[in-house]
């Protein structure tokens, strides 16, 4: 099959879940091309980007971020490309029909990349790219439009733009693949027909995240780990506050926070104010996740709903931690209860409940003899539901059934 991946940025270090699908489909023998609004130009890139020579498959929109420059470039690009598809180009600028996709010129720049190419599947990652995808379809670009929803596209994006923002996508989109049942319910509430929805999980490569029997020597410190961008919804501050409650009784405890983001300075200052800075390390690098998990005792991600409504989906790091055999602690938040067996592969606590979080952390510290049993349960759970190789084969089956069927699902 010919498959197009429509994404916002490529390659993005934090979006391994998309990269894993791309490489998995290539391994299964499919022709995959990637369409992206921009290259984030991050310092690090995933090894598979080079291994699979994925940059040779990428088509960038070349759309300036600055609105004035975007308009000026379009003034040149419209006449320069007009001969290729005059009617489509004119239609792509119709604000009354295509809304913000046309007003922002995103549809125009996307059209320049897609024009002359046809696909069996155009797989749009995140809802806002789904809107672009269905508008390309309305312009005449051939391909079934499949959209995967991950988190902020069904939370903060809706809070900002309103529940009607996806009306066009719901009407013209062919299939929707939310990553959890929680998001399936949200799509149904928005008016999407249940028969057009299939929950398709994100997974992890079990060959890369191997099981480790967690044990700590008598003189070794306990290491609590969190991996994630330093943003509000990850709930880092609640983990710091919980650590402050128990550190006096567990002075060999260390907390590693891997990742960077806008809240780093604020979180570092909080560690100082709580008098735990000597027990906390901000690595600023989430690229070495596997190494950090090998060196850690257990994993904590106290996710919360951010002030702008942003929520997690099913964080990949929780799946990866369980694959490594790490006991995990997280919250009753969004789709997270679907990826942790509460009381068996880890523990869930209410959002922002520092006392409950501290109690669960202390429980793990004082019951090291349970780490293996908890870790084994987590590994078996991930093997059963979140093996990326199995999930990629399921995705292939979804594509094939969808392409060769006259019906939408």
């Amino acid at each position: 099959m010919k498959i197009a991946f429509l994404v916002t940025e490529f390659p993005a270090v934090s979006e391994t879940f998309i990269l894993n699908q791309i490489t998995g489909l290539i391994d299964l023998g499919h022709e995959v091309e990637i369409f992206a609004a921009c290259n984030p130009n991050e310092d690090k890139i995933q090894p598979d980007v080079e291994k699979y020579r994925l940059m040779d498959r990428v088509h960038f929109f070349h759309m300036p971020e600055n609105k004035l420059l975007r308009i000026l470039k379009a003034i040149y690009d419209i006449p320069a490309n007009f001969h290729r598809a005059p009617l489509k180009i004119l239609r792509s600028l119709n604000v009354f029909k295509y809304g913000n996709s046309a007003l922002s010129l995103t549809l125009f720049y996307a059209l320049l990349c897609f024009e002359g190419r046809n696909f069996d599947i155009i797989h749009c990652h995140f809802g806002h790219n789904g809107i672009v995808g269905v508008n390309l379809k309305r312009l005449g670009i051939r391909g079934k439009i499949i959209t995967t929803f991950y988190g902020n596209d069904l939370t903060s994006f809706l809070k900002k733009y309103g529940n009607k923002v996806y009306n066009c996508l719901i009407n013209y989109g062919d299939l929707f693949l939310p990553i959890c049942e929680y998001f399936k319910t949200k799509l149904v509430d928005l008016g999407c027909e249940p028969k057009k929805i299939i929950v398709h999980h994100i997974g992890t490569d079990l060959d890369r995240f191997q099981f480790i029997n967690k044990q700590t020597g008598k003189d070794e410190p306990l290491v609590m780990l969190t991996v994630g961008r330093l943003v509000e919804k990850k709930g880092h501050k609640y983990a710091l506050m919980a650590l402050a409650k128990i550190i006096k009784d567990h002075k060999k405890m260390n907390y590693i926070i891997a990742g960077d983001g806008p809240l780093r300075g604020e979180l570092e200052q909080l560690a100082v104010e709580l008098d735990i800075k000597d027990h906390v390390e901000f690595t600023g690098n989430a690229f070495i996740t596997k190494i950090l998990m090998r060196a850690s005792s257990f994993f904590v991600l106290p996710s919360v709903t951010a002030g702008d409504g942003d929520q997690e989906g099913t964080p990949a790091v929780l799946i990866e931690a369980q694959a490594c055999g790490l006991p995990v602690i997280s919250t009753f938040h969004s789709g997270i209860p679907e990826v942790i067996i509460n009381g068996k592969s880890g523990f869930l606590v209410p959002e922002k409940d520092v006392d409950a979080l501290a109690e669960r952390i202390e429980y793990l510290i004082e019951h090291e003899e349970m780490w293996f049993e908890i870790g084994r349960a987590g590994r078996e759970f991930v093997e059963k539901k979140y093996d990326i190789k199995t999930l990629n084969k399921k995705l292939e089956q979804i594509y094939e059934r969808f392409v060769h069927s006259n019906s939408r699902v």
Side-chain angles (χ1 to χ4, degrees), residues 230-242:
L230 306 187
V231 293
E232 184 183 357
K233 71 177 178 180
K234 299 296 181 181
H236 295 90
K237 74 174 184 179
Y238 302 102
L240 291 170
M241 293 164 68

Side-chain angles (χ1 to χ4, degrees), residues 269-287:
Q269 180 59 33
L270 179 60
V272 172
E273 293 172 0
L274 293 171
D275 196 25
I276 57 173
K277 66 180 182 64
D278 292 338
H279 298 271
V280 182
E281 178 182 356
F282 291 85
T283 69
N285 187 354
F287 196 69

Side-chain angles (χ1 to χ4, degrees), residues 46-219:
Q46 297 286 358
D48 278 350
V49 174
E50 295 182 352
K51 177 183 176 182
Y52 286 82
R53 300 181 63 182
L54 295 183
M55 299 311 294
D56 294 341
R57 299 172 180 263
V58 183
H59 308 275
F60 290 110
F61 293 178
H62 299 297
M63 181 177 68
E65 185 175 348
N66 180 276
K67 292 181 180 179
L68 178 58
L69 292 178
R70 191 182 306 175
I71 293 170
L72 292 174
K73 185 173 185 294
I75 291 172
Y76 170 82
D77 286 340
I78 290 171
N81 292 277
F82 198 70
H83 65 283
R84 295 175 55 195
L87 290 179
K88 289 179 184 176
I89 287 176
L90 288 175
R91 289 171 60 202
S92 75
L93 304 173
N94 187 337
V95 175
F96 299 102
K97 187 171 185 179
Y98 300 110
N100 190 59
S101 287
L103 182 63
S104 65
L105 294 174
T106 302
L107 184 57
F108 165 70
Y109 284 105
L111 175 64
L112 295 186
C113 284
F114 274 90
E115 176 56 29
R117 297 182 173 93
N118 293 311
F119 297 92
D120 297 304
I121 298 290
I122 299 176
H123 192 156
C124 308
H125 292 266
F126 294 94
H128 61 276
N129 289 319
I131 295 172
V132 177
V134 294
N135 285 334
L136 286 169
K137 174 184 176 180
R138 295 170 74 190
L139 288 173
I141 301 300
R142 290 177 56 191
K144 299 285 188 179
I145 305 298
I146 295 178
T147 304
T148 293
F149 289 89
Y150 289 97
N152 64 357
D153 48 2
L154 280 174
T155 55
S156 57
F157 189 79
L158 289 178
K159 186 174 181 178
K160 182 176 181 179
Y161 294 104
N163 287 349
K164 295 182 179 180
V165 69
Y166 288 134
N167 283 359
C168 176
L169 175 56
I170 289 171
N171 289 334
Y172 290 96
D174 296 298
L175 185 67
F176 302 95
L177 303 180
I179 62 172
C180 57
E181 295 290 340
Y182 178 78
F183 286 158
K184 177 180 179 179
T185 300
K186 277 185 167 289
L187 282 171
V188 172
D189 290 342
L190 289 174
C192 187
E193 299 176 50
K195 68 178 183 179
K196 292 173 63 176
I197 306 172
I198 298 175
V199 173
H200 185 74
H201 303 297
I202 61 173
T204 194
D205 186 342
L206 296 177
D207 294 331
R208 294 184 179 181
F209 292 90
Q210 297 178 344
F211 179 82
I212 305 164
N213 183 6
K214 286 296 172 186
Q215 289 182 335
T216 301
K218 291 183 179 180
D219 297 324

Side-chain angles (χ1 to χ4, degrees), residues 361-376:
I361 292 171
E362 193 159 39
Y363 181 86
L364 282 179
I365 293 172
E366 295 176 351
H367 293 83
E368 185 175 340
E369 76 281 359
M370 296 182 63
W371 291 1
F372 177 80
E373 180 182 349
I374 295 172
R376 174 55 67 185

